[in-house]
Amino acid sequence: MKMKITIKDIARIAKVSHTTVSRALNNKPRIHPQTKEKILSIARELNYQPNFFARSLVTKRTKILGLVITTIANPFYSELAQGIETTARSLGYNIILCSTDYELTTEKQYIDMLRSKGVDGIIFTSAHIGDPNIIELAEEGFPMILVNRRTYHPTVREKVDYVGVDNILGGFLAVEHLIRLGHKRIGIIGGSSESSVGFERLEGGKKALKTYGLEAREDYFLEGDFLKESGYQGGKRFLRMDKPPTAIFATNDYMALGTYQAIVEEGIRIPEEIALVGFNDIEFTSMRGIEITTIGQKKYEMGALAVKKLVERIKGEGTESSKEVILEPELIIRRTCGFHLKGYQIEPKDDRPTSIVHYPNYEEGIL
């Protein structure tokens, strides 16, 4: 049987102390560069694998983070997870991914499992507005961070960091864009009312209607669950109305794809007969032939920031009070809104996401 290589083996070959080897492998200061390179070269040659369990007994850390998402079915989370995993790896951490399928009981089971494995902290993208599992962890002071979704509970807001996009502004930009294109009957397919994301994006859309003096018809607001099927069913319901909307804002791109399918099945042309806007800018929306106008958010950056802030907390480098990092959304104009059919223009700027959009019937809009 092949013997497992240890720090002492490397130290013997390099003719240094095992403390020096440990400092080199853990990228610690106060070690000569040539000595460090010699040790790392020997470790690579011997295919040294660190004993994380033994290290955790000394440091009280496992260098493992939990990542709890709502569902792996939504492409948004795979793109967000890429920023999380890449950044975690660069900081020397591994990730355990858990998908709750929107169930609080499943979320609780995963929390218990992650803690039994001794994770140093948990990244939550699955928070419900009044999530009891997260409230319990916040009251205990367990290291965690909320990403994309958050809870409004005062204890959580006081103790737990949050990274997300300005969803109210994003919802406002989506509906304002449709209004400026001349639409007065705008349907909105919201996400779950248990989600801060769903609530905030809907509020932003309603705010745009009020700002421009349009009626907020209750039958033009449908609740979905952020999955493609709810977008499909919502699209069908809108299209079967006696007076259907002339434009639809689906509050995430996955639902927008379902709405797109429903419209195509009914033989209605996009955008000539109905306009469509989504939210998130997932990769599929930019595919040729689909090209959904959407509200973009920096998913990779959001994930990277979350990891960095959580690691700061774990190391005791963060402030005692919680911090919110709110990123700016961006209107990304593509084919499905009908903007280009009207001959309107976008003046790109170097400091995106700000762009100047020229709507002939309105004053110049800054988006």
Side-chain angles (χ1 to χ4, degrees), residues 270-289:
I270 306 172
E272 290 84 357
E273 297 175 275
I274 192 167
L276 177 64
V277 175
F279 199 119
N280 282 343
D281 190 30
I282 61 175
E283 186 177 0
F284 293 159
T285 59
S286 63
M287 290 179 61
R288 188 173 182 83

Side-chain angles (χ1 to χ4, degrees), residues 231-269:
Y232 176 84
Q233 295 299 335
K236 290 286 188 179
R237 284 181 60 184
F238 277 142
L239 296 175
R240 290 167 183 167
M241 289 181 173
D242 292 336
K243 202 170 185 179
T246 61
I248 298 174
F249 167 43
T251 56
N252 84 337
D253 286 339
Y254 204 29
M255 291 193 299
L257 287 169
T259 305
Y260 189 102
Q261 180 182 347
I263 295 171
V264 170
E265 285 184 1
E266 294 294 324
I268 297 172
R269 295 176 300 161

